[in-house]
C-alpha cells in the first residue's frame, strides 16, 4: 500500500524560523528571474520556420501543419488579442517564454517536495531555509537553461505548452505526503493529458506514468474500474476538441493546411499527413543513428558550444543518463508506479528518436527532462547518504547546496550567445523587403517553408499586399492546397494542384510550368521567385535579380540553420515564348531531353 513505501532521501531537518522562506515565494521568484532571461534573449518578432506559420494560424484561427494544434491556435489567438498593439509574432514569443517560466516554477515546487521528504514520507515543513531549498531551485534551473528548452522560449512554438502539461502531469502523478488520490485526481490527470494531446503528440512520453499512477490509485482504493473510467472520460472529453479542426476547415480560413473538412481528411491531418513518410520504416541503421543522436542530445544540453561536438556530447549524454537512471531505479523500489512511469518517459523519447527521422527532432525529447531531473536528485541523495554513513563528519553545507545553481549560471553564460535572438529581426526584414519590391498583382513562387511562411506572415497577420499571390512550390502535389487559392479576398490566378506524389523531379517540373508558370505568363503577370537552386528554371526562364533582401554576412553565422534560410535575393522570371506554345506532352519531352543533355555535360 502507499503507506508502506520506504522513504527515499536525506533525513529531514527543521530549518531555523529566522531563515524560513515560504516555498512559493522562492519558486516564483526564481521563475520570474528565468522569465527575464528568456525575454532578454527572445526574438523581437515572428522568427524563421514554424513560428511564423503558427502565428498565421493563431491570428486567423486557421489550421497549421499536421496535427493542426487546435489548443495552441486558440490559446495563441487569445494571447495575441490580449497583447493589444504588440507585434503578434512577438506576442507568441512572449507566450512561449511565459509557459516555460511557469514550468520552471512548478518544477521548483515539485523538487522542494522531494527535498523536504514530503513526496515519499517524512515530516515536511511549510517553510525551509533558503540554503535547504537551493538544490531544488538549482536543478530546476538546470532544466530551464538546458539548450533546447531555452531555445524554445525565444520564439513561437507548440513545444512550450506541451512541456507545461508534462510538468502538470508529473505533479498530479505524485501525490502529497500521506494523501490517497481519489477519483478527482484520476479525472484531472486524464484531462491534463487530453488537453496536451490537443497540442502535440510528444506528450505520449508521459502516458505510461499517467496510466501506471491511475492503476496504482485504483488498486489502493479497490475501485480500479472507476479510476480507469474517470481518467478515460477526462481524456476523451478533451480529445473531442479535434473536431474543431473539421468545423473550422469548412469555412476555409486563410490558412487551411490539409483541409480537414471531412472526416477522412481530418484523420489524415491527425495521423501526421505527409510527415508520416519521414518514419524509419524498418531501417535499422537509421534507428541506431537516431538513438545515438538522442544520447548525444542529452550531453549537448549542458556543454558549452565549443565542446558540444558529437563525441563529447555522446560521452556526456551517457553520464547524464546513467545518473538519471540510477536514481529512478531506486525510486522504483519505493514507488513502482512513479519509478517505472518516469523511466518509461525517458525510454519513450528514445523511441521517438528511432521512429521519426526529422532534422528538428530535438524538442520531442523535452518531455523526458523532468523525469531525468528527478533521477539526478535521487542519485545525489543516495550518494550523500552513502558518504554520511561512511564519513559521519561529512555534512552537506550551504556551499555544496549551491552547486546545481552555480552550474545553471555557468550554462547561462555559455549558452547565451548561441541562443540570443534579441537583435535578430532578419525574418521581418526579409519579408518586408520582398513585399516592398513587388509590383501590383505580382506572383511569388517560394521554394521551401521558411520563405513561404515569412510571406504568409506579411499577408495574413500584418495585412500587407493582399494583391500579391504567394505560391508554395512544395505544395503543388498536395490536393488540399487548391483551397488556399479559394479563400475570401485572395487573388484568383490560373493554377492546377495535383493530388499525387511526384515519382521524380520531371512530373514536378511539368506541373509547375504547365499548371502555373505558363498560364500566368500568358495573362501578363510578373512572376518572382525566392530561390535559385532549380537549374531548369535558371536555364529556361533566366531569373534576374530584383532586390537584395538580406546581407550575405547574415548567412555566415546565423542562429537558424543556414540550409533552411531563404535566398538573400529576390529574382524575377523572364517569360519563354517557345515554352508557351507547347502542349503538356511536348513540355515533358523537352524537359526530359534537357535532363539528358545536362547529364552529358
Amino acid at each position: 500500500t502507499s503507506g508502506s513505501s520506504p522513504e527515499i532521501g536525506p533525513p529531514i531537518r527543521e530549518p531555523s524560523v529566522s531563515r524560513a522562506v515560504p516555498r512559493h515565494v522562492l519558486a516564483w521568484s526564481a521563475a520570474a528571474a528565468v522569465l527575464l532571461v528568456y525575454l532578454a534573449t527572445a526574438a523581437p518578432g515572428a522568427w524563421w520556420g514554424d513560428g511564423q506559420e503558427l502565428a498565421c494560424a493563431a491570428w486567423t484561427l486557421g489550421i497549421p501543419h499536421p496535427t493542426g494544434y487546435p489548443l495552441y491556435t486558440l490559446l495563441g489567438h487569445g494571447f495575441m488579442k490580449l497583447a493589444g498593439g504588440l507585434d503578434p509574432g512577438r506576442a507568441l514569443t512572449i507566450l512561449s517564454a511565459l509557459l516555460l517560466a511557469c514550468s520552471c516554477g512548478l518544477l521548483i515546487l515539485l523538487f522542494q517536495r522531494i527535498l523536504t521528504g514530503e513526496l515519499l514520507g517524512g515530516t515536511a515543513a511549510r517553510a525551509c531555509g533558503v540554503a535547504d531549498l537551493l538544490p531544488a531551485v538549482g536543478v530546476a534551473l538546470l532544466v530551464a537553461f538546458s539548450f533546447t528548452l531555452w531555445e524554445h522560449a525565444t520564439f513561437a512554438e507548440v513545444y512550450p505548452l506541451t512541456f507545461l502539461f508534462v510538468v502538470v502531469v508529473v505533479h498530479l502523478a505524485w501525490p502529497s505526503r500521506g494523501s490517497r488520490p481519489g477519483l478527482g485526481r484520476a479525472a484531472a490527470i486524464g484531462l491534463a493529458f487530453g488537453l496536451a494531446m490537443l497540442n502535440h503528440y510528444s506528450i505520449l512520453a508521459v502516458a505510461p506514468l499517467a496510466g501506471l499512477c491511475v492503476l496504482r490509485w485504483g488498486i489502493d482504493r479497490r475501485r480500479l474500474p472507476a479510476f480507469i473510467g474517470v481518467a478515460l472520460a477526462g481524456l476523451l472529453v478533451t480529445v473531442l476538441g479535434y473536431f474543431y479542426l473539421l468545423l473550422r476547415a469548412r469555412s476555409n480560413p486563410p490558412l487551411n493546411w490539409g483541409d480537414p473538412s471531412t472526416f477522412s481528411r481530418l484523420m489524415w491531418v491527425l495521423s501526421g499527413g505527409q510527415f508520416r513518410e519521414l518514419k524509419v520504416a524498418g531501417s535499422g541503421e537509421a534507428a541506431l543513428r537516431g538513438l545515438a543522436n538522442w544520447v548525444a542530445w542529452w550531453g549537448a544540453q549542458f556543454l558549452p558550444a565549443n565542446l558540444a561536438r558529437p563525441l563529447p556530447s555522446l560521452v556526456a549524454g551517457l553520464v547524464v543518463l546513467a545518473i538519471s537512471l540510477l536514481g529512478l531505479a531506486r525510486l522504483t523500489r519505493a514507488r513502482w508506479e512513479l519509478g517505472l512511469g518516469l523511466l518509461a518517459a525517458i525510454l519513450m523519447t528514445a523511441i521517438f528518436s528511432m521512429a521519426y527521422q526529422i532534422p528538428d527532432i530535438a524538442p520531442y525529447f523535452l518531455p523526458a527532462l523532468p523525469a531525468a531531473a528527478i533521477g539526478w536528485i535521487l542519485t545525489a541523495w543516495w550518494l550523500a547518504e552513502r558518504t554520511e554513513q561512511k564519513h559521519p563528519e561529512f555534512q552537506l553545507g550551504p556551499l555544496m547546496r549551491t552547486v546545481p545553481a552555480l552550474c545553471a549560471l555557468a550554462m547561462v553564460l555559455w549558452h547565451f550567445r548561441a541562443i540570443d535572438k534579441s537583435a535578430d529581426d532578419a525574418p521581418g526584414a526579409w519579408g518586408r523587403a520582398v513585399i516592398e519590391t513587388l509590383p501590383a498583382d505580382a506572383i511569388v513562387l517560394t521554394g521551401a517553408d521558411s520563405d513561404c511562411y515569412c510571406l504568409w506572415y506579411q499577408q495574413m497577420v500584418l495585412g500587407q499586399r493582399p494583391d500579391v499571390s504567394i505560391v508554395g512550390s512544395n505544395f503543388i502535389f498536395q490536393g488540399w492546397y487548391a483551397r488556399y487559392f479559394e479563400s475570401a479576398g485572395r487573388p484568383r490566378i490560373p493554377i492546377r494542384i495535383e493530388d499525387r506524389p511526384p515519382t521524380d523531379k520531371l512530373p514536378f517540373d511539368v506541373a509547375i510550368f504547365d499548371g502555373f508558370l505558363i498560364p500566368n505568363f500568358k495573362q501578363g503577370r510578373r512572376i518572382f521567385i525566392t530561390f535559385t537552386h532549380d537549374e531548369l528554371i535558371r536555364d529556361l526562364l533566366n531569373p534576374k535579380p530584383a532586390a537584395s533582401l538580406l546581407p550575405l554576412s547574415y548567412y555566415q553565422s546565423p542562429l537558424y540553420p543556414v540550409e533552411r534560410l531563404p535566398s538573400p535575393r529576390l529574382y524575377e522570371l523572364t517569360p519563354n515564348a517557345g515554352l508557351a506554345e507547347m502542349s503538356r506532352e511536348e513540355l515533358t519531352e523537352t524537359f526530359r531531353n534537357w535532363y539528358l543533355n545536362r547529364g552529358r555535360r
Side-chain angles (χ1 to χ4, degrees):
T1 64
S2 58
S4 63
S5 300
E7 183 178 344
I8 291 183
I12 306 303
R13 301 182 178 89
E14 290 291 334
S16 61
V17 176
S18 62
R19 294 168 53 233
V21 175
R23 297 186 192 181
H24 289 80
V25 171
L26 185 62
W28 296 114
S29 296
V34 168
L35 177 61
L36 290 177
V37 176
Y38 284 168
L39 294 178
T41 54
W47 211 52
W48 299 115
D50 291 349
Q52 298 203 0
E53 182 219 3
L54 291 169
C56 292
W59 186 257
T60 64
L61 287 177
I63 299 169
H65 64 277
T67 55
Y69 316 114
L71 183 62
Y72 182 87
T73 299
L74 293 171
L75 178 64
H77 181 79
F79 196 82
M80 283 174 161
K81 296 302 182 182
L82 287 174
L86 192 65
D87 176 81
R90 175 65 177 177
L92 280 191
T93 297
I94 293 174
L95 177 62
S96 292
L98 280 171
L99 291 170
L100 289 180
C102 287
S103 300
C104 178
L106 291 175
L107 282 177
I108 294 172
L109 292 174
L110 176 63
F111 298 159
Q112 286 175 350
R113 289 165 60 190
I114 299 175
L115 287 170
T116 57
E118 179 182 336
L119 193 60
L120 296 169
T123 303
R126 291 193 176 184
C128 286
V130 174
D132 297 314
L133 296 179
L134 268 179
V137 176
V139 174
L141 292 180
L142 288 175
V143 174
F145 294 122
S146 59
F147 188 89
T148 301
L149 197 71
W150 185 2
E151 174 84 7
H152 281 80
T154 60
F155 57 89
E157 253 297 2
V158 298
Y159 303 107
L161 181 57
T162 297
F163 190 80
L164 177 61
F165 277 116
V166 168
V167 177
V168 169
V169 168
V170 174
H171 261 278
L172 291 171
W174 291 53
S176 299
R177 175 181 60 88
S179 68
R180 297 184 67 193
L183 293 175
R185 189 175 290 258
I189 205 168
L191 184 67
F193 190 84
L195 286 171
M197 285 290 288
L198 286 175
N199 187 59
H200 195 271
Y201 291 171
S202 59
I203 192 65
L204 289 171
V206 294
L209 174 65
L212 288 172
C213 286
V214 171
L215 178 64
R216 169 70 182 264
W217 302 339
I219 292 173
D220 284 352
R221 290 282 187 139
R222 298 182 181 179
R223 300 181 63 188
L224 184 58
F227 272 77
I228 293 176
V230 297
L232 288 177
L235 170 66
L236 292 176
V237 165
T238 54
V239 171
L240 289 175
Y242 271 120
F243 283 96
Y244 161 82
L245 298 178
L246 186 149
L247 298 175
R248 181 60 179 150
R250 290 181 177 178
S251 64
N252 197 25
L255 179 54
N256 188 12
W257 191 305
D259 185 28
S261 54
T262 65
F263 186 75
S264 61
R265 295 298 305 171
L266 176 63
M267 291 299 102
W268 183 83
V269 169
L270 296 186
S271 61
Q274 68 271 27
F275 302 117
R276 282 175 294 175
E277 301 171 2
L278 298 172
K279 292 182 179 179
V280 171
S283 170
E285 180 182 350
L288 289 175
R289 184 167 57 250
L291 183 61
N293 290 337
W294 173 77
V295 174
W297 176 84
W298 286 96
Q301 298 310 296
F302 309 102
L303 290 177
N306 61 333
L307 293 179
R309 297 186 297 273
L311 184 57
S313 296
L314 191 65
V315 173
L318 289 172
V319 173
V320 169
L321 287 169
I323 295 172
S324 298
L325 298 179
L326 176 60
L328 295 179
R330 286 180 52 78
L331 175 62
T332 302
R333 293 187 296 171
R335 293 293 295 261
W336 57 266
E337 79 283 9
L338 299 179
L340 291 177
L342 293 170
L343 285 169
I346 296 176
L347 175 62
M348 287 288 285
T349 61
I351 294 173
F352 294 163
S353 72
M354 295 185 288
Y356 201 40
Q357 299 298 297
I358 56 175
D360 50 353
I361 187 69
Y364 281 68
F365 308 152
L366 292 177
L369 272 176
I374 292 170
W376 304 335
I377 291 173
L378 297 179
T379 298
W381 271 2
W382 175 69
L383 292 174
E385 287 177 344
R386 292 292 298 269
T387 302
E388 287 189 6
Q389 289 171 4
K390 293 184 177 181
H391 304 281
E393 72 280 4
F394 175 82
Q395 295 293 327
L396 190 64
L399 184 60
M400 289 295 294
R401 296 174 190 273
T402 64
V403 168
L406 292 175
C407 290
L409 177 60
M411 287 167 53
V412 171
L413 297 177
W414 63 56
H415 285 339
F416 192 95
R417 184 176 179 182
I419 287 177
D420 182 20
K421 303 174 182 63
S422 59
D424 191 349
D425 186 38
W430 189 94
R432 289 190 297 270
V434 172
I435 290 299
E436 292 169 1
T437 299
L438 296 173
D441 301 318
I443 296 175
V444 183
L445 181 66
T446 62
D449 291 349
S450 292
D451 50 352
C452 188
Y453 296 166
C454 198
L455 296 180
W456 279 356
Y457 184 83
Q458 291 290 322
Q459 272 196 338
M460 296 184 198
V461 179
L462 302 183
Q464 301 296 316
R465 298 299 303 275
D467 61 300
V468 168
S469 297
I470 302 166
V471 178
S473 63
N474 49 331
F475 301 136
I476 289 295
F477 282 96
Q478 298 181 32
W480 61 264
Y481 188 51
R483 290 201 73 192
Y484 170 85
F485 298 97
E486 299 169 3
S487 294
R490 188 158 282 155
R492 297 293 184 263
I493 62 171
I495 189 166
R496 182 168 62 244
I497 309 298
E498 302 186 17
D499 193 11
R500 64 182 182 87
T503 54
D504 53 40
K505 192 171 183 300
L506 181 58
F508 171 82
D509 291 331
V510 174
I512 286 287
F513 276 78
D514 184 62
F516 164 63
L517 290 173
I518 292 175
N520 282 283
F521 275 136
K522 286 182 176 179
Q523 289 195 358
R525 294 180 181 269
R526 296 175 66 181
I527 302 176
F528 297 76
I529 61 171
T530 60
F531 58 93
T532 57
H533 58 264
D534 193 300
E535 295 183 10
L536 181 70
I537 290 179
R538 281 211 311 263
D539 277 8
L540 299 182
L541 298 180
N542 189 25
K544 297 179 180 178
S548 293
L549 307 176
L550 286 178
L552 293 177
S553 59
Y554 182 78
Y555 294 77
Q556 295 173 359
S557 56
L559 295 172
Y560 192 70
V562 67
E563 66 273 9
R564 288 187 243 162
L565 286 172
S567 168
R569 293 187 178 86
L570 181 70
Y571 299 85
E572 183 172 6
L573 299 179
T574 304
N576 187 315
L579 296 177
E581 304 304 319
M582 292 184 184
S583 65
R584 189 178 182 89
E585 292 73 20
E586 290 172 328
L587 279 175
T588 301
E589 188 62 27
T590 298
F591 294 165
R592 185 178 288 114
N593 291 333
W594 183 89
Y595 279 113
L596 288 173
N597 291 332
R598 188 189 64 169
R600 294 191 188 102
R601 293 198 298 267

